Amino acid sequence: MSNNPYNVYQDVHKEGMSQRELEASVLMKAAVKLKSCQDNWNTPARETLLEEAVKYNQKVWSFFQSELPMPDNPLPRKLREDILNLSVFIDKRLFEVLAYPEPQKLNIVIDINMNLAAGLRTKPESQEEYTAKAV
């Protein structure tokens, strides 16, 4: 599967998944990438894993940022503003992790991604279930 969230959207959309399920899937993948990096923090490949996971998360949240101000966005204005503020926080945290890498700094972004994914899902899926499907 592609590392580009837009391509993931396109692939999953072809499978007949709802917009909410699609967004949940992309957020869960983003969380799993960060968690994998965190779990393998002391490996020689950490820098590559971290860069890949952070870039993927940045693309996901950039996509959300670009969709929020659209006039046809069905979300209430206050919710869009809250999500935008959350995305700014995530951007800052990801830059901080790149500048001063520490595995525990990933926790908040992993939690946010997983909680939003869980809230979007019509059928709950755990990280373990998602990881098993993705492998």
Side-chain angles (χ1 to χ4, degrees):
M1 193 173 270
S2 172
N3 276 340
N4 185 331
Y6 178 76
N7 291 340
V8 172
Y9 264 53
Q10 293 301 329
D11 293 344
V12 176
H13 184 64
K14 292 174 188 171
E15 296 172 15
M17 198 178 264
S18 75
Q19 181 74 19
R20 289 175 60 111
E21 287 290 325
L22 187 56
E23 290 168 350
S25 178
V26 171
L27 283 165
M28 186 60 82
K29 180 176 180 178
V32 167
K33 282 182 164 293
L34 289 173
K35 183 68 174 139
S36 176
C37 179
Q38 191 179 52
D39 291 346
N40 296 292
W41 194 259
N42 294 320
T43 66
R46 181 195 78 209
E47 195 170 313
T48 302
L49 289 172
L50 180 61
E51 185 178 319
E52 182 181 302
V54 166
K55 281 184 178 181
Y56 185 86
N57 273 270
Q58 287 172 324
K59 287 177 184 178
V60 168
W61 283 94
S62 291
F63 181 80
F64 290 147
Q65 289 168 348
S66 70
E67 291 294 311
L68 290 169
M70 296 294 188
D72 62 342
N73 189 308
L75 295 176
R77 182 178 177 168
K78 176 68 173 129
L79 181 56
R80 287 185 285 159
E81 289 171 357
D82 290 345
I83 294 170
L84 188 57
N85 288 332
L86 188 58
S87 72
V88 170
F89 168 80
I90 288 173
D91 282 345
K92 286 180 184 178
R93 175 51 64 108
L94 292 174
F95 285 125
E96 179 185 342
V97 169
L98 289 176
Y100 307 101
E102 293 179 29
Q104 69 275 10
K105 289 180 181 177
L106 297 174
N107 287 340
I108 189 69
V109 180
I110 292 167
D111 290 344
I112 289 169
N113 286 350
M114 291 182 72
N115 285 318
L116 284 176
L120 289 166
R121 289 219 182 274
T122 54
K123 181 185 135 216
E125 181 177 69
S126 69
Q127 176 185 345
E128 292 78 20
E129 291 171 319
Y130 178 84
T131 303
K133 281 187 348 189
V135 175

